Amino acid sequence: MRSLSLRLYGVVTWLMQPLVRRKLRRRAVAEPGYAMAVEERFGHYPTTPAGTDWCWIHAVSLGEARAAAILIEELRRQAPGIRLLLTHGTATGREEGAKLLQTGDIQVWQPWDTPSAVARFLDRFAPRIGVLMETEVWPEMTAACAERGIPLVLANARLNEKSLASAERLGWLARPAYSALAAVWAQTEADSHRLVSLGAKVAGVFGNMKFDAAPETRQLVAAANLRARLPKPVVVFASSRDGEEQQFLEVLKRFGATVPVPPVQVAVNSIAKRVHDVQWMIVPRHPQRFDEVAALVEAQGFAVARRSTAGEEPGDAEIWLGDSLGEMALYYGLAHVALLGGSFEPLGGQNLIEAAACGCPVVMGPSTFNFAEAAELSLAAGAAQRVPDMEHAVKVALALVADPARHDAMVQAALAFSSSNRGAAQRTAAALLAIAVPAGPAQ
């Protein structure tokens, strides 16, 4: 018998369907991917082959899809021939996920969390196991999987204090959902404690499998070659978010980035001269903001060179815009130092693990709650430095550019920090397969 709260939730999600459709239409204006196969989101799969025995992996967005890629590679190593069903919630997640498909795999949208859509999804695909990446826990889906005996697990799981507080306010929905999961494998001990407080069955603390992602060698080689040709060292503002670019540009303007270069003989040590001696780069977190950020840079009086149109080198532009997808390893490989996007507004920061794997020192702002343990570990390892605001971040970046010995020490610390935290993907894949493919009786 379903609880009254879950039945009420089902009514609310059913009533919200017109709003969901309207939101998808609006998002599709900027990101056409949201207009693709919309009916899949409501459990209708007219052109998708049915089947059974799927290992279903849900990676809602771009970051989760990249984590899923690491897990999938390890699953295929441990269980060749495994058949994958991938689901996503965002256009960037689906685009990234499409790169992971092999013959026999399929990809659809995550069903909206109504009883009917979820039932149609599970009827159609009947997965052997479901794997939710990192944070995505939906009440109807967890309840329906539990009722059907489909083990649903949460892998690479994280839960920060802000999300815990939100879940506790909706405890009548959140607690049954988390307790219905067959297993949870947390990134950190702190995540584990928070998840357990919501009733989750934490079966292991495996670390963050994003440490297992090796940067693409081709991109690092290309970065090294390009870096050798550039006349200035590069400082990249990586995965910047709305509001942060404005802060960044205002600091550069205040330091004289848009005025003519001061004469060398009178300005050797001036901050204006040091700012002019760096190639500044912005890589926005969300691709739908590329045009918006380019317009903002120009409105602030800077010349901008877009990687998508200006070729490999920025020329005389003060700001180089990294408006391409899938090239973060190249950008980190180019950079002497990276400023961490999402950490200069109260947004919780972005993933700094890829920067460490590329040997790129990181300067982070005060807000890193989404990656709290990785941030603290990187600070302790000497791979990163925390500052209170954007002005200090720019000053620290300039100091690192001017101090080769300190910069090289941070590069080595970043590489050591990255290599010492690997192994989560192997542990997660083994635990997942132990549930999905139980050992037969002893002979």
Side-chain angles (χ1 to χ4, degrees):
M1 176 67 70
R2 291 199 155 200
S3 67
L4 176 60
S5 60
L6 189 59
R7 283 182 283 164
L8 289 173
Y9 169 81
V11 171
V12 171
T13 55
W14 183 81
L15 291 172
M16 288 178 65
Q17 289 178 101
L19 300 177
V20 174
R21 290 181 181 275
R22 186 168 65 180
K23 180 179 180 180
L24 291 172
R25 287 194 296 270
R26 289 177 175 174
R27 293 293 297 271
V29 173
E31 295 181 81
Y34 281 97
M36 177 193 304
V38 170
E39 291 307 311
E40 290 180 357
R41 294 185 184 267
F42 303 95
H44 302 291
Y45 311 95
T47 60
T48 304
T52 58
D53 208 34
W54 300 106
C55 176
W56 162 41
I57 298 179
H58 176 59
V60 60
S61 193
L62 182 62
E64 291 83 0
R66 288 175 174 167
I70 304 163
L71 176 60
I72 287 168
E73 181 179 3
E74 184 61 28
L75 283 171
R76 286 181 169 140
R77 189 188 69 80
Q78 295 188 27
I82 192 169
R83 301 177 69 212
L84 298 179
L85 164 65
L86 295 185
T87 61
H88 313 278
T90 70
T92 53
R94 184 159 180 155
E95 183 179 358
E96 188 74 13
K99 303 173 186 177
L100 310 178
L101 301 177
Q102 293 185 0
T103 302
D105 299 336
I106 59 174
Q107 182 185 46
V108 297
W109 289 115
Q110 164 199 10
W112 179 239
D113 207 39
T114 62
S116 56
V118 168
R120 285 191 291 268
F121 172 81
L122 295 177
D123 287 343
R124 185 64 175 259
F125 300 111
R128 175 180 292 192
I129 190 170
V131 185
L132 310 176
M133 297 301 300
E134 299 199 358
T135 60
E136 281 282 298
V137 178
W138 289 86
E140 177 61 37
M141 181 61 79
T142 56
C145 286
E147 289 166 0
R148 294 175 183 235
I150 299 170
L152 187 62
V153 302
L154 186 63
N156 215 42
R158 57 185 174 89
L159 185 72
N160 60 46
E161 290 288 352
K162 182 178 178 181
S163 297
L164 174 62
S166 297
E168 287 176 333
R169 284 194 293 273
L170 294 172
W172 53 281
L173 278 176
R175 291 182 187 280
Y178 278 93
S179 63
L181 296 169
V184 173
W185 302 304
Q187 292 186 18
T188 70
E189 290 290 349
D191 290 316
S192 173
H193 292 317
R194 288 188 283 267
L195 288 159
V196 167
S197 74
L198 289 176
K201 306 176 187 72
V202 176
V205 178
F206 289 167
N208 189 338
M209 65 179 69
K210 290 178 181 176
F211 279 107
D212 294 318
E216 190 175 323
T217 302
R218 178 182 58 82
Q219 289 192 29
L220 293 181
V221 170
N225 292 335
L226 180 53
R227 185 170 173 171
R229 298 199 305 271
L230 293 174
K232 299 178 181 180
V234 175
V235 173
V236 61
F237 188 9
S239 297
S240 63
R241 302 280 296 275
D242 189 16
E244 293 185 317
E245 297 96 355
Q246 180 76 31
Q247 291 184 44
F248 178 63
L249 296 170
E250 287 176 354
V251 169
L252 293 185
K253 283 182 70 174
R254 195 158 62 246
F255 289 168
T258 56
V259 300
V261 181
V264 173
Q265 63 269 26
V266 297
V268 171
N269 293 316
S270 75
I271 195 161
K273 177 66 168 59
R274 287 187 287 145
V275 166
H276 277 280
D277 286 343
V278 166
Q279 177 61 63
W280 301 96
M281 186 176 208
I282 300 175
V283 182
R285 172 69 177 85
H286 298 113
Q288 64 267 30
R289 298 188 60 245
F290 288 161
D291 291 343
E292 172 191 336
V293 175
L296 174 65
V297 171
E298 292 179 334
Q300 290 294 315
F302 293 87
V304 60
R306 299 181 66 155
R307 177 163 168 76
S308 62
T309 57
E312 279 205 327
E313 299 182 31
D316 295 329
E318 293 101 351
I319 303 295
W320 197 3
L321 184 65
D323 59 345
S324 61
L325 289 175
E327 289 196 312
M328 282 309 301
L330 182 139
Y331 294 138
Y332 284 132
L334 274 176
H336 264 62
V337 59
L339 311 186
L340 184 67
S343 68
F344 297 96
E345 289 283 338
L347 300 168
Q350 296 298 145
N351 178 20
L352 53 75
I353 293 170
E354 188 173 7
C358 295
C360 182
V362 167
V363 179
M364 67 183 78
S367 180
T368 54
F369 57 78
N370 282 330
F371 302 92
E373 180 150 335
E376 293 305 316
L377 289 173
S378 68
L379 289 169
Q385 185 169 338
R386 190 186 295 280
V387 294
D389 53 41
M390 186 66 73
E391 180 172 328
H392 284 84
V394 171
K395 288 180 177 178
V396 167
L398 291 171
L400 281 172
V401 168
D403 189 343
R406 184 175 169 217
H407 171 265
D408 290 348
M410 288 190 74
V411 168
Q412 294 306 313
L415 293 171
F417 163 66
S418 175
S419 64
S420 66
N421 284 280
R422 293 178 183 146
Q426 182 178 8
R427 292 187 284 270
T428 303
L432 190 161
L433 291 170
I435 296 173
V437 189
Q443 300 296 317

